[in-house]
């Protein structure tokens, strides 16, 4: 006689098993793009709230020299990782014994970092000092810069009766460019390096079961995704790029999802392999780069200080493997594996890229954000039913990170994690789950796009808290 495991009471109890933050997961990964809501039996709905807080501190680089890889511990960098929260929703239903439909919402990718304190990622709050540093300590202040700009514009005005030679006019033009760049840099006095990236995705899924006992299911559907971003680079860590700002307007584009699952209810076995396509966003970016015009003038190029132009951002493809099986009538083991090719990802605003071509003498220039390695994420769990209405679970996890050194806008290399949670069945159909996860964040050195080391972050950690309300009827 076969024992039938009751999936309803064996369901994993934690709402946050696959959640990770930009302060811990590789690249910009946040939600893990979980689709297990669609794999539930019957009619199912869930609402998940997740709160993530990480402590990411380190030191800037005090090394002075030409070796980009050299590092000397400098000034302390206080916690740069901003806490954040987000929601995830899912609903699915079986049309009949063969076909199912569902809709999922999540916030798959993101970043939230803010440098504060006295370090190389914060601009000097003395505007006159910034001007003098940029102009070679000529004793200029904001008032003198404004007056000189007015005088130079007057001298260069069409029809000006001044008897200036072509050589003098060219020199005036160069001086004007330099002073306007200095004025733009001075406007960033006291500002800090910041980054915020947000995405939202809605996934529609249609599934069809097949096999002798309907044990197989093929599923797929469209994905609508919205992305927006803001980045400020400030301080001497970014050298000539200090003062750069970009705002990437919200953009919505589309991709797709496809997968295959297998189930064996007698032993509570479920396995699913899911592929998500990359999504190409053709957005608009507004950039401000105080020294762009000066850099362009030195190279004989007409580079503006501001630009509003197209930018292409391709959020990466991914593969998720979800697995669970009962090992006895009250115990369930789970495994999740996720792969994301972050080495193919880059954010490359056009003005930033054009200025970097001047500084690197390379026709390809630099991306504002990029990664060297792909992400692998693994999580193992064990759930135990203690009573007909109560189950508890624990997990351990590992994330490979996306390289080390890594971008200074997210300077950690993956994590190790441990989590605990519980699920309580309030009624036959309604359940509440709650859980937490502790993260040991990997040490990493921060680098800027030209691969120069600018910081070092060690011995950091974080935590994840989550709660889920779910409904299921069969």
């Amino acid at each position: 006689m076969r024992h039938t495991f009751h999936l309803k009471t064996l369901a994993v109890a934690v709402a946050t098993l696959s959640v990770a933050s930009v302060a811990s997961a590789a690249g910009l990964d946040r939600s893990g793009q979980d689709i297990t809501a669609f794999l539930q039996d019957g009619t199912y709905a869930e609402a998940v709230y997740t709160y993530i807080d990480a402590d990411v501190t380190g030191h800037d680089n005090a090394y002075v020299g030409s070796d980009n890889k050299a590092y000397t511990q400098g000034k302390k960098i206080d916690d740069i990782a901003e806490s954040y929260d987000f929601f995830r929703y899912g609903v699915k239903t079986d049309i009949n014994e063969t076909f199912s439909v569902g809709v999922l919402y999540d916030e798959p990718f993101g970043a939230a970092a803010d440098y504060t304190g006295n370090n190389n990622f914060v601009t000097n709050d003395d505007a006159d000092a910034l001007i003098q540093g940029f102009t070679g300590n000529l004793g200029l202040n904001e008032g003198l810069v404004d007056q000189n700009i007015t005088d130079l514009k007057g001298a260069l005005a069409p029809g000006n009766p001044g008897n200036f030679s072509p050589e003098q006019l060219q020199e005036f033009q160069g001086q004007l460019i330099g002073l306007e760049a200095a004025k733009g840099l001075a406007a960033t006095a006291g500002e800090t390096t910041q980054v915020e990236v947000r995405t939202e995705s809605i996934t529609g899924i249609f599934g069809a079961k097949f096999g002798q006992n309907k044990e197989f299911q093929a599923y797929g559907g469209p994905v609508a995704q919205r992305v927006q971003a803001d980045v400020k680079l400030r301080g001497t860590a970014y050298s000539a790029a200090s003062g750069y700002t970009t705002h990437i307007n919200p953009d919505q584009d589309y991709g797709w999802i496809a997968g295959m699952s297998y189930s064996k209810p007698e032993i509570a076995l479920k396995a699913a392999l899911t592929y998500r396509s990359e999504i190409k966003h053709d957005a608009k970016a507004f950039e401000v780069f105080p020294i762009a015009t000066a850099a362009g003038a030195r190279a004989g190029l007409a580079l503006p200080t501001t630009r509003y132009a197209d930018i292409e951002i391709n959020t990466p493809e991914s593969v998720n493997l979800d697995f669970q099986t009962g090992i006895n009538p009250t115990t369930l083991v789970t495994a999740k594996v996720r792969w994301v090719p972050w080495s193919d990802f880059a954010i490359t605003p056009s003005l930033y890229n054009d200025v970097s071509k001047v500084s690197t003498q390379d026709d390809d220039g630099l991306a504002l954000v990029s990664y060297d390695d792909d992400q692998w994420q693994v999580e193992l769990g064990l759930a135990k039913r203690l009573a007909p209405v109560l189950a508890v679970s624990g997990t351990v996890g590992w994330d490979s990170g996306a390289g080390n050194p890594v971008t200074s806008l997210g300077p950690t290399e993956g994590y190790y994690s441990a989590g605990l949670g519980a699920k309580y069945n309030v009624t036959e159909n309604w359940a509440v789950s709650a859980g937490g996860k502790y993260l040991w964040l990997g040490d990493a050195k921060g680098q800027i796009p030209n691969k120069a080391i600018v910081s070092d972050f060690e011995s950091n950690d974080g935590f994840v808290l989550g709660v889920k309300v779910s409904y299921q009827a069969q």
Side-chain angles (χ1 to χ4, degrees), residues 284-370:
K284 290 287 188 180
F286 178 70
E287 301 174 79
V288 179
F289 208 152
I291 70 163
T293 304
R298 287 193 293 269
L301 302 173
L303 293 178
T305 302
T306 62
R307 179 180 291 174
Y308 184 66
D310 294 332
I311 182 172
E312 181 180 306
I313 300 176
N314 295 339
T315 54
E317 62 183 343
S318 64
V319 177
N320 281 21
L321 173 65
D322 295 280
F323 175 83
Q324 70 171 47
T325 187
I327 56 176
N328 63 48
T330 62
T331 308
L332 187 75
V333 295
T334 64
K336 292 176 177 286
V337 180
R338 176 169 168 81
W339 171 79
V340 186
W342 285 108
S343 59
D344 296 334
F345 174 84
I347 298 177
T348 311
S350 64
L351 180 56
Y352 182 92
N353 183 251
D354 285 346
V355 176
S356 72
K357 291 176 183 178
V358 175
S359 60
T360 62
Q361 299 297 303
D362 185 333
D363 290 341
D364 292 332
L366 300 172
L368 177 62
V369 176
S370 63

Side-chain angles (χ1 to χ4, degrees), residues 5 74 97 99 105 198 234 239 255 267 286 352 379 400 402 470:
F5 294 2
E97 291 185 355
F99 299 112
Y105 167 88
R198 296 194 70 93
R234 301 291 186 266
S239 186
I267 58 172
F286 178 70
Y352 182 92
E379 189 164 74
S400 68
S470 60

Side-chain angles (χ1 to χ4, degrees), residues 123-124 126-128 130-131 142 180-190 290:
T123 304
N124 188 331
D126 186 340
D128 290 344
L130 291 174
I131 289 172
E142 286 189 276
E180 288 184 329
K183 182 177 179 180
L185 187 61
T188 69

Side-chain angles (χ1 to χ4, degrees), residues 84-392:
Y84 64 90
D85 57 2
F86 59 88
F87 288 89
R88 187 175 78 239
Y89 305 101
V91 61
K92 64 86 58 173
T93 191
D94 296 330
I95 299 174
N96 52 40
E97 291 185 355
T98 299
F99 299 112
S100 303
V101 293
V103 178
L104 308 176
Y105 167 88
D106 74 338
E107 300 178 26
F109 308 115
D114 186 4
Y115 284 81
T116 59
N118 178 25
N119 54 67
N120 292 345
F121 297 87
V122 178
T123 304
N124 188 331
D125 60 7
D126 186 340
D128 290 344
L130 291 174
I131 289 172
Q132 291 170 27
F134 184 81
T135 58
N137 295 313
L138 297 178
L140 296 174
N141 56 36
E142 286 189 276
L144 289 174
V145 166
D146 288 337
Q147 184 59 53
N148 286 342
I149 288 175
T150 299
D151 293 344
L152 288 168
K153 285 183 175 179
L156 293 167
N160 176 40
N163 295 317
F164 300 114
S165 67
E167 291 77 13
Q168 287 176 308
L169 292 174
Q170 186 175 5
E171 182 181 351
F172 292 163
Q173 184 66 49
Q175 292 175 2
L176 177 61
I177 289 171
L179 290 173
E180 288 184 329
K183 182 177 179 180
L185 187 61
T188 69
E191 295 185 348
T192 66
T193 295
Q194 298 176 335
V195 58
E196 181 173 12
V197 179
R198 296 194 70 93
T199 62
E200 298 175 280
S201 290
I202 295 179
T203 303
I205 308 181
F206 177 81
K209 297 182 178 69
F210 61 95
Q212 183 176 1
N213 297 310
K214 303 292 185 181
E215 66 270 30
F216 293 98
Q217 180 177 216
Y219 53 89
V223 180
Q225 187 180 88
R226 186 175 183 267
V227 63
Q228 62 181 343
D230 289 279
V231 178
K232 292 182 178 180
L233 305 183
R234 301 291 186 266
T236 57
Y238 295 102
S239 186
S242 179
Y244 175 80
T245 301
T246 185
H247 169 70
I248 298 175
N249 289 347
D251 176 78
Q252 181 170 302
D253 273 290
Y254 303 90
W256 53 275
I257 184 175
M260 181 75 70
S261 68
Y262 171 79
S263 66
K264 191 173 183 180
E266 305 96 282
I267 58 172
L269 187 152
K270 287 186 178 183
L273 186 66
T274 307
Y275 172 82
R276 285 180 178 267
S277 71
E278 73 172 9
I279 297 180
K280 178 181 177 181
H281 292 271
D282 294 311
K284 290 287 188 180
F286 178 70
E287 301 174 79
V288 179
F289 208 152
I291 70 163
T293 304
R298 287 193 293 269
L301 302 173
L303 293 178
T305 302
T306 62
R307 179 180 291 174
Y308 184 66
D310 294 332
I311 182 172
E312 181 180 306
I313 300 176
N314 295 339
T315 54
E317 62 183 343
S318 64
V319 177
N320 281 21
L321 173 65
D322 295 280
F323 175 83
Q324 70 171 47
T325 187
I327 56 176
N328 63 48
T330 62
T331 308
L332 187 75
V333 295
T334 64
K336 292 176 177 286
V337 180
R338 176 169 168 81
W339 171 79
V340 186
W342 285 108
S343 59
D344 296 334
F345 174 84
I347 298 177
T348 311
S350 64
L351 180 56
Y352 182 92
N353 183 251
D354 285 346
V355 176
S356 72
K357 291 176 183 178
V358 175
S359 60
T360 62
Q361 299 297 303
D362 185 333
D363 290 341
D364 292 332
L366 300 172
L368 177 62
V369 176
S370 63
Y371 299 94
D372 294 330
D373 296 338
D374 295 343
Q375 170 195 12
W376 284 94
Q377 189 179 89
V378 179
E379 189 164 74
L380 304 177
L382 182 69
K384 177 73 174 179
R385 178 168 60 88
L386 301 181
V389 297
L390 178 66
V392 296

